[in-house]
Amino acid sequence: MTSRERLLDPDHPHILSTRNSLAVAYQAAGRTGEAIRLHEATLRRREQTLGAEHPDALASGHNLAAAYEVAGRLDEAIQLYESTLAKCERLFEPGHTLIRSVRSKLERILSGSQ
């Protein structure tokens, strides 16, 4: 247990942000299985505590989809990119960074150029 976890509720936004960052670090280190497990848990908790359309939950969905993509779980990646993109398009202006990133990754998978 980290010092943050001893001081804050496990669903506190700072804890969830730290877990998301750790999952990204796992992925960068090639520890994709651990990254996916932590991304899945973080997404679930962010959706439960913040709501499925909260920007942090959408960022978690984007990160998990990217991890699925790296792991070759393309059907899951596509499904999550599509649902994340739909939510982002409802919430953000068309040029928002997250919209551009999700759309770009989804188009790359669908075109088969990975």
Side-chain angles (χ1 to χ4, degrees):
M1 179 179 291
T2 68
S3 57
R4 267 190 175 187
E5 288 176 312
R6 283 191 292 276
L7 297 174
L8 301 172
D9 182 278
D11 290 328
H12 189 281
H14 292 313
I15 297 297
L16 296 175
S17 179
T18 299
R19 289 174 188 263
N20 182 68
S21 295
L22 180 59
V24 169
Y26 282 159
Q27 176 128 356
R31 296 166 62 178
T32 305
E34 291 169 280
I36 287 172
R37 284 188 293 281
L38 191 52
H39 277 310
E40 288 172 339
T42 303
L43 174 59
R44 202 168 34 255
R45 291 180 99 151
R46 278 182 162 174
E47 286 181 340
Q48 289 171 348
T49 60
L50 303 172
E53 294 192 345
H54 187 280
D56 290 347
L58 295 173
S60 283
H62 174 260
N63 292 337
L64 176 56
Y68 284 155
E69 182 180 355
V70 168
R73 295 166 61 176
L74 299 184
D75 289 340
E76 291 166 288
I78 289 168
Q79 181 180 2
L80 192 50
Y81 279 139
E82 287 176 338
S83 67
T84 301
L85 180 59
K87 292 171 190 173
C88 287
E89 288 176 334
R90 282 195 301 275
L91 295 170
F92 303 128
E93 293 295 319
H96 191 277
T97 305
L98 190 55
I99 290 175
R100 288 194 323 258
S101 181
V102 173
R103 184 177 288 127
S104 171
K105 290 178 180 181
L106 179 59
E107 288 172 355
R108 185 183 64 235
I109 291 176
L110 293 176
S111 72
S113 59
Q114 298 166 28

